[in-house]
Amino acid sequence: MEILKKFQRKMAGLSSEQAAQETLLLLKSRFAHHYRYAKNLIINPEITTEKLLQEINLGKTLDILTYFKKRDNIKLYPGFNRLLETSELYKDNFPESEREIISKANDICEHKFAFLGRKLEYKEEIDWSYDPTTDYHWPKIHYSKISTISDKPGTDIKIPWELARLQHFVTLGQAYHLTKNEKYAVEFCSQLLSFAKENPVEIGIHWLCAMEVALRAISLTLAFYFFRSSENFNQEILLTLLKLLFSHANHIENNLEYSLQVTSNHYLSDLIGLLFIGIVFPEFRQSKKWVDFALSELLKEMDKQVYPDGADWESSIGYHALVLEIFLYAFLLCKENKIAIEDRYWNKLEKMFEFVRAYLKPDAKAPLIGDCDSGRVIIWQTRQANDHSYLLPIAAVLFQQENFKLLGSAQEESIWIFGYFGWDTLENLPLTEMPSSVIFPNAGIYLLRDKDLYMVVDVGDIGINGKGSHAHNDLLSFELFYREKTFFVDPGSYVYTSDAKARNLFRSTAFHNTVMVDNTEINEIYPGQLFTLGSQAKPKINRWTSTLEYDFLDVEHNAYERLSQPVIHQRQIQFNKVLACWLITDILRGSGEHLFSFFFNFDENLSVEIIEKTKILIIDETNNLSLILVPLESKGLKTEIVERWVSKGYGEKTKSWGVVYNLKASAPEKRRFLIAPCSSEDISGIDDLIEQIEQWQV
């Protein structure tokens, strides 16, 4: 019965014809996996040297190594095309980052890795299917017979997947060009041969997800340019690399993560992987086909997956950044190789950057709305997952627009991508001011801003045609940044398949700054479905006004209409820019007695005190700042400080605190909450502010 319900949810919203087509796609995919499994038993899918040379169109070229080492007709990115100059520029301007890269590269040479909240160390050879953090070996069988969820608690397939993306080859390549030390080239060659040997085509977890194969293909392509000048880059290395790339392209093409109803960052990753291989290695006879298909589909998907206001449709800030990177690196690669893309797609890419500019907080960090798996297309510089600041200098150079220059200077990524051109461009652009209040109605993201005062409110649906793969139960929730610190926070996502309980906790209503009625989730969380939310809640914008003195937002949703005694949650937020305070009014329309739970969750490293039974003082001792949360109608409220967690990157969490106000009352009900600057010595002064609030009119 549960399988039938799951199938019905998958087909929801499709016409009978579309449902039939979707069913055929599912059956075709299942059959294809079984076919490849059976074929693998009979015919070894490994690419032989003879087969490879047949697939490469080099005419009468005899010295294949010299050809690939010397060819210069294919471009990557301006800074990458002049690695000698770019490396010198980098050393001159980012000495600390240079030392960090070299240190990380030395760790990589010792087979020490740190990512996704874990540290991995392999004593001798890297075992690509082994997770030393949980002492678990993933099976080396045909990929179609492997589940992404291990039977060992706490084991996360994303850990070995992240390692096998081989994005650390970029770090080795950077260190090689910054130091001219051949040990980094030797290590690259050793790991390349090891990976190829230990991961034969279609065997093991590293062929299970086409997205992982595609991102690895990009890493291999970049590694080719980083290391082809090395004396250690010999014919064996070249042939191994080309065989991997060819088998990767074939595998991606045969395992595209496509659906009529739902496509996401996975399908986009598949496409950019094909595009990279096809453009950078036109010698493959199928390259033109890969490029034509991948680019055509990427543009179709941009029309589909990116809203007119520039936001990605997955209802996740983290995945917006990843999707932006996919289009950015794809478009730049096409531009460098004289492949035309219509202006309207470049314009939409610019809108994607404008969304980033708007949602970055005054400290240049991104809010934690929706899922985040810390994914990047290319890791030029290790950053915290919610640090999206590197995107703005790239946009400033790419579009020659000063409104993207918020940070004052170039960042590491813009140098590796654009080289001296990027550096000079940013130096000559004037510094722009902080963004003001702005809305993104398609995404349902509202930014209430004034200098170092910032609130982001999520009033959007769950995304992806109602599937909610990476959305949370955060409707009408918000993050609030005051002066130098985030005070009210979205908790992030922490993990996916390794801990189902934690996964659902971090995307629950209670972990967001919103209201729960009768302990009912805003959207249903289905057992065992970690990448699906119900689509019960429909938001409605009643009013939005923004002036120099205040912002006012009035919005509601109908999630609790499904209760036996239905309730509508309406929330009004007034941001007074003159007094630097926020008034939140929750109106609960309906009938009958209910349990109303008002949740407020605070960032890490904050102290929380209850004052006069219901007032909450939130203190940032580091920056000597504090805010007070005051229920203006406190009758009947039961106040409880609760333990919370904040995850600012996949696999990472730190302890924090929250408060829940519980109220048993009959609907309709109205409660107001004031958030304002206040220290423990000024508690009495808050009464004067409350008197002023009673006179506010918007």
Side-chain angles (χ1 to χ4, degrees), residues 676-690:
C678 182
S679 67
S680 57
E681 293 81 21
D682 298 331
I683 299 297
S684 58
I686 204 71
D687 293 332
D688 295 333
L689 180 59
I690 292 172

Side-chain angles (χ1 to χ4, degrees), residues 7 11 14 18-28 260:
F7 181 77
M11 298 300 160
L14 297 180
Q18 289 173 325
Q21 291 176 328
E22 186 74 9
T23 303
L24 285 174
L25 276 174
L26 288 170
L27 292 173
K28 180 181 177 182
L260 287 175

Side-chain angles (χ1 to χ4, degrees), residues 372-567:
C372 172
D373 75 345
S374 302
R376 303 269 297 276
V377 176
I378 303 171
I379 302 176
W380 306 102
Q381 181 75 18
T382 302
R383 295 183 178 276
Q384 194 174 43
N386 67 332
D387 181 359
H388 299 178
S389 62
Y390 66 95
L391 292 167
L392 295 188
I394 294 172
V397 176
L398 179 60
F399 297 107
Q400 304 283 291
Q401 291 287 341
E402 65 186 64
N403 63 309
F404 291 117
K405 187 179 175 182
L406 289 175
L407 306 176
S409 63
Q411 292 202 14
E412 292 86 341
E413 290 84 352
S414 54
I415 297 304
W416 289 108
I417 295 169
F418 294 111
Y420 269 100
F421 170 73
W423 179 266
D424 292 341
T425 298
L426 283 163
E427 286 292 298
N428 293 322
L429 285 173
L431 192 64
T432 192
E433 295 182 352
M434 283 281 187
S436 55
S437 298
V438 63
I439 66 173
F440 294 84
N442 304 118
I445 296 295
Y446 282 61
L447 282 304
L448 290 65
R449 308 189 59 149
D450 185 51
K451 301 181 178 63
D452 57 1
L453 307 174
Y454 167 106
M455 176 186 273
V456 56
V457 187
D458 186 352
V459 299
D461 62 26
I462 60 172
I464 319 185
N465 277 346
K467 187 172 187 293
S469 303
H470 292 300
H472 292 182
N473 274 333
D474 53 12
L475 195 51
L476 312 195
S477 182
F478 63 91
E479 283 203 21
L480 190 152
F481 181 99
Y482 173 69
R483 304 302 184 199
E484 297 179 69
K485 171 71 176 173
T486 297
F487 278 75
F488 294 77
V489 71
D490 186 298
S493 51
Y494 184 40
V495 293
Y496 293 166
T497 61
S498 64
D499 188 336
K501 183 178 179 180
R503 164 71 171 150
N504 288 333
L505 183 66
F506 273 79
R507 58 184 186 148
S508 69
T509 304
F511 259 48
H512 295 86
N513 302 311
T514 189
V515 179
M516 177 181 272
V517 181
D518 296 338
N519 293 315
T520 302
E521 291 288 344
I522 290 176
N523 294 292
E524 190 173 353
I525 296 177
Y526 302 113
Q529 296 190 42
L530 302 180
F531 297 97
T532 301
L533 276 181
S535 56
Q536 288 82 15
K538 307 299 179 190
K540 176 187 175 186
I541 308 299
N542 297 321
R543 179 183 166 194
W544 163 252
T545 302
S546 182
T547 72
L548 293 176
E549 292 79 28
Y550 70 87
D551 292 336
F552 180 78
L553 173 63
D554 184 342
V555 62
E556 64 185 58
H557 73 75
N558 67 344
Y560 301 121
E561 277 193 322
R562 68 188 193 273
L563 298 175
S564 59
Q565 292 180 303
V567 172

Side-chain angles (χ1 to χ4, degrees), residues 230-247:
S230 168
E231 62 190 34
N232 288 283
F233 193 95
N234 55 32
Q235 185 142 321
E236 180 187 17
I237 299 301
L238 173 65
L239 292 176
T240 300
L241 185 65
L242 292 175
K243 289 174 185 177
L244 278 172
L245 286 167
F246 183 72
S247 59

Side-chain angles (χ1 to χ4, degrees), residues 122 127-131 136-150 155-164 195 198-213 216 251:
Y122 299 88
D127 186 339
W128 301 94
S129 299
Y130 175 61
D131 182 351
Y136 183 77
H137 290 269
W138 289 86
K140 292 187 177 181
I141 58 177
H142 194 265
Y143 74 94
S144 65
K145 304 299 180 183
I146 304 175
S147 169
T148 57
I149 301 178
S150 162
T155 299
D156 194 335
I157 197 170
K158 287 185 65 63
I159 302 303
W161 271 0
E162 189 76 12
L163 176 65
F195 184 86
E198 297 300 321
N199 295 277
V201 177
E202 297 187 358
I203 301 300
I205 58 172
H206 301 309
W207 300 95
L208 182 54
C209 175
M211 176 182 183
E212 300 301 317
V213 178
R216 182 164 58 247
H251 190 81

Side-chain angles (χ1 to χ4, degrees), residues 633-661:
E633 298 85 18
S634 59
K635 183 179 179 180
L637 289 181
K638 292 186 176 180
T639 308
E640 181 184 1
I641 300 295
V642 290
E643 184 178 82
R644 287 291 186 260
W645 300 93
V646 176
S647 172
K648 297 186 177 178
Y650 189 91
E652 306 168 10
K653 68 175 183 178
T654 52
K655 189 176 180 179
S656 63
W657 299 102
V659 62
V660 55
Y661 294 106

